[in-house]
Amino acid sequence: MATDEPNRAVVPMPATGGELKRVMEREKRGGSFALLRDGGDRLEIVDLDRGGERLTVGRDASNDLALTWDREISRLHARLSKIGGEWVVEDDGLSRNGTFLNGERLTGSARLRDHDVLRVGRVLVGYRDVRQGSLSETLTGFDAEPPEISAAEERVLQALARPWIEGRGMAAAASNGEIAEKLTVSIHTVKSHLRALFAKFGVDGLPQSRKRAALVEAAFRTGAIGRR
């Protein structure tokens, strides 16, 4: 379902250089994996391709993906299944509080796409599917040079990523309205700068629902912005 500001959830991001290196090393191997932060705020990388064709998600320690620290999560909350080479998330009434995919409550099942974000309880789980031509393969190292951006574009980029910069790595990216209010500009101006940034960072070809998260990720990877 498309809106002006779809999928404001951002894939859980590395908070340190060491975490970023771990993620990039996993990306080089390709395939599917998940990113989340545990109860101690440590970044976890879950290799889905090594877990068989079916994984359970829930609070009980017996689950393949055990999220034991969050009591809003049901003992058996959801399932991940590999069907025809694609990962699918299922919640057919398994959970008490529901499973959310890119901010919308899931009914039944849905195929996962690169940069999708699941929310179970208060935990955000970022799904990654690294294939040929993905953003991750374009930005292969720490020495990737950021594109030239104007001062106004940099301000918009900083405002978009502000929740992560302030240490709320799993928070939603700032909305167009929030950016406009923060910078005292019109929403039209914000949208114009974002379109330019999507093109400069090479994410304009992605589905609309994943452009914002991919832009923030690309900006951090290339050093265009950083955690201060």
Side-chain angles (χ1 to χ4, degrees), residues 4-5 7 23 38 64 76-77 95 104 114 120 158 162 171 191 218:
D4 283 343
E5 295 179 9
N7 186 17
V23 173
D38 67 15
D64 301 301
L76 174 59
H77 198 102
S95 65
E104 295 187 4
D114 189 31
V120 289
Q158 290 277 0
R162 179 62 55 187
K191 288 182 176 179

Side-chain angles (χ1 to χ4, degrees), residues 39-107:
D41 199 35
R42 293 176 293 269
L43 184 71
E44 285 193 23
I45 303 175
V46 181
D47 193 335
L48 299 178
D49 293 335
R50 293 188 179 181
E53 301 291 304
R54 192 176 180 89
L55 289 83
T56 56
V57 181
R59 194 177 79 249
D60 194 273
S62 64
N63 286 287
D64 301 301
L65 183 52
L67 310 174
T68 58
W69 60 91
D70 187 348
R71 297 199 63 80
E72 292 184 16
I73 296 174
S74 299
R75 291 184 180 279
L76 174 59
H77 198 102
R79 296 189 185 94
L80 296 175
S81 303
K82 198 169 188 179
I83 302 173
E86 305 284 349
W87 282 99
V88 172
V89 58
E90 306 169 74
D91 183 347
D92 270 325
L94 288 173
S95 65
R96 183 179 68 245
N97 295 322
T99 299
F100 293 79
L101 175 60
N102 299 330
E104 295 187 4
R105 186 159 184 160
L106 179 68
T107 302

Side-chain angles (χ1 to χ4, degrees), residues 120-142:
V120 289
R122 291 169 294 168
V123 178
L124 292 186
V125 180
Y127 173 75
R128 296 303 319 277
D129 182 10
V130 182
R131 302 189 183 193
Q132 186 175 6
S134 71
L135 172 68
S136 302
E137 291 181 346
T138 302
L139 303 173
T140 54
F142 290 102

Side-chain angles (χ1 to χ4, degrees), residues 110-127:
R111 182 163 67 91
L112 292 173
R113 302 173 184 271
D114 189 31
H115 283 95
D116 275 349
V117 181
L118 291 171
R119 179 169 69 80
V120 289
R122 291 169 294 168
V123 178
L124 292 186
V125 180
Y127 173 75

